[in-house]
Amino acid sequence: ADFRGAKTIYDNLGKLKKMLQNDDLDGAGIMELLKTLGEETVRASSHAEGKQAEQIKELGELLSQGVAA
């Protein structure tokens, strides 16, 4: 996607993938990264347009809710 914040989100998704592929999962680290991804995603949604902005914001909110649950 081409909006402000997309690169950071992409990079953190790569970090999350690596964390999830480790044999020894770091639950606290994964939760912290998910929280960060949720916050970044909601923030980035304000730089997207139209339906894309709504979908990005919803994803960020779901990530944040999943961490809080």
Side-chain angles (χ1 to χ4, degrees), residues 5 8-9 12 35-45 56:
T8 302
I9 293 168
N12 280 332
K35 178 182 172 197
T36 300
L37 274 165
E39 292 167 355
E40 290 170 345
T41 304
V42 169
R43 203 170 23 254
S45 71
I56 294 167

Side-chain angles (χ1 to χ4, degrees), residues 38 41-42 44-46 52-62:
T41 304
V42 169
S45 71
S46 66
Q52 185 183 35
E54 293 172 27
Q55 292 171 333
I56 294 167
K57 183 177 180 186
E58 183 178 355
L59 174 60
E61 290 170 347
L62 290 171

Side-chain angles (χ1 to χ4, degrees), residues 5-43:
K7 171 94 170 85
T8 302
I9 293 168
Y10 177 81
D11 290 344
N12 280 332
L13 285 171
K15 289 177 188 177
L16 179 62
K17 181 179 177 180
K18 286 181 182 179
M19 291 176 83
L20 292 172
Q21 290 174 336
N22 283 334
D23 290 333
D24 186 24
L25 295 177
D26 175 8
I30 292 169
M31 286 188 61
E32 186 62 33
L33 187 53
L34 285 173
K35 178 182 172 197
T36 300
L37 274 165
E39 292 167 355
E40 290 170 345
T41 304
V42 169
R43 203 170 23 254

